[in-house]
Amino acid sequence: MTVAGGVQLWAEERGDPAAPPLLLVMGANASGVLWPEELVDLLAARHSVVRYDHRDTGRSSAVLDRAPYAVADLARDALAVLDALGIARAHVVGMSMGGTLVQLLLLDAPERLRSATLLCTSALGAGLADVAGTSGLPGPAPALLEYWQTMGGDRDRAAELDWRVEHWRLLGGGVLPFDAAWFRALEERAMDHAGSVRGPVAHALADQAGLDRGAELAAVRVPTLVVDAPADPVNPPPHAAHLAAVVGGARLVRVPGMGHALPPPVHAPLAAAVSAHTAAADAG
């Protein structure tokens, strides 16, 4: 689909088209196919699930070099995906930076959201969006910050796969067992989908203006679920509790052992939490 500025976005629908639509919004520098197939299938049992590639990831247009944009512009891309598919209102799930984008949708386009689910993320103005450094909440683990310095390096396929698998090990948080082969297969699919072995870095370079809006979240009235990932090394506790406290009417649910990743052990509890939340929102 083509959106503002001639940017083309790749998207995929799965499940019964007549079922309640659910839009999955991935994190920074991550294509839509990093939503694991098994998790998407679980969600598709009740929803028409849409996942898509942000600009500068996967099969979507790479544009940052010729047309710089802000992180906030990626939230407008999410709405453009819904528009292109003829979806007036959807349940929306955002992970990591995707959770930041969904918070912007809660503030700027609440009429388009049936419900929101936020996972592995922090409140606007906190965490990686704490540009002023005033939130007082903890930042990412030092080992992760150090590893990020090598992001986007010039590596062949084998070396890049090794880098990405080690990245997932660090993101996983060390509580749940780490299945390196499973994450390698996930990243092999992502590379094949993108047609490139080079890791995307554009979102780390995008303008962060307009993200310091945490004070506005108290006015949210869209049913919102915050998923607490207690082993998350990017947004460690108490980020999830803080987010649930500042978003109007939000509920908090914990997935034990979950870090900043979506390995098989979290698929069933996460899908169950999301589906219960969306069912309650639809009933209400």
Side-chain angles (χ1 to χ4, degrees):
M1 57 197 67
T2 302
V3 299
V7 173
Q8 291 190 325
L9 301 178
W10 173 92
E12 173 198 77
E13 292 179 281
R14 185 177 307 184
D16 181 357
L22 184 147
L23 179 70
L24 300 175
V25 186
M26 234 312 152
N29 303 310
S31 75
V33 299
L34 289 177
W35 291 102
E37 298 294 319
E38 305 92 328
L39 177 60
V40 175
D41 284 340
L42 287 172
L43 294 170
R46 186 185 179 275
H47 305 92
S48 173
V49 179
V50 178
R51 59 179 178 174
Y52 70 101
D53 293 343
H54 296 295
R55 58 179 71 189
D56 285 288
T57 72
R59 297 183 184 176
S60 292
S61 298
V63 298
L64 184 72
D65 290 343
R66 61 177 173 81
Y69 54 85
V71 170
D73 292 324
L74 299 175
R76 288 182 275 276
D77 283 351
L79 292 178
V81 170
L82 296 180
D83 290 342
L85 297 175
I87 299 173
R89 297 176 67 233
H91 301 288
V92 184
V93 178
M95 177 175 179
S96 193
M97 183 196 72
T100 301
L101 303 182
V102 174
Q103 290 175 67
L104 293 174
L105 296 180
L106 285 168
L107 298 180
D108 297 333
E111 72 283 355
R112 303 297 302 273
L113 276 59
R114 295 184 182 212
S115 74
T117 300
L118 309 170
L119 58 139
C120 302
T121 194
S122 55
L124 293 174
L128 292 174
D130 182 11
V131 179
T134 58
S135 73
L137 293 164
L144 197 52
L145 289 173
E146 181 179 357
Y147 199 71
W148 283 344
Q149 299 306 307
T150 61
M151 183 183 297
D154 188 12
R155 293 179 278 265
D156 62 20
R157 182 181 176 97
E160 178 64 18
L161 279 170
D162 288 343
W163 189 96
R164 295 188 191 188
V165 171
E166 175 61 13
H167 190 210
W168 283 119
R169 186 187 68 78
L170 293 171
L171 290 172
V175 175
L176 297 176
F178 181 70
D179 186 341
W182 186 88
F183 278 103
R184 185 174 295 272
L186 177 72
E187 286 293 354
E188 286 177 335
R189 289 196 298 273
M191 282 186 182
D192 292 342
H193 171 74
S196 171
V197 303
R198 193 171 186 89
V201 298
H203 301 158
L205 306 174
D207 187 357
Q208 291 196 39
L211 301 184
D212 189 12
R213 300 176 62 188
E216 300 175 47
L217 293 170
V220 168
R221 294 296 176 264
V222 174
T224 301
L225 178 70
V226 177
V227 176
D228 181 6
D232 186 348
V234 180
N235 301 292
H239 272 284
H242 171 74
L243 178 58
V246 298
V247 175
R251 294 191 306 110
L252 183 67
V253 63
R254 171 171 287 194
V255 176
M258 185 175 176
H260 201 87
L262 299 171
V266 310
H267 295 170
L270 180 58
V274 172
S275 295
H277 175 60
T278 59
D282 285 338

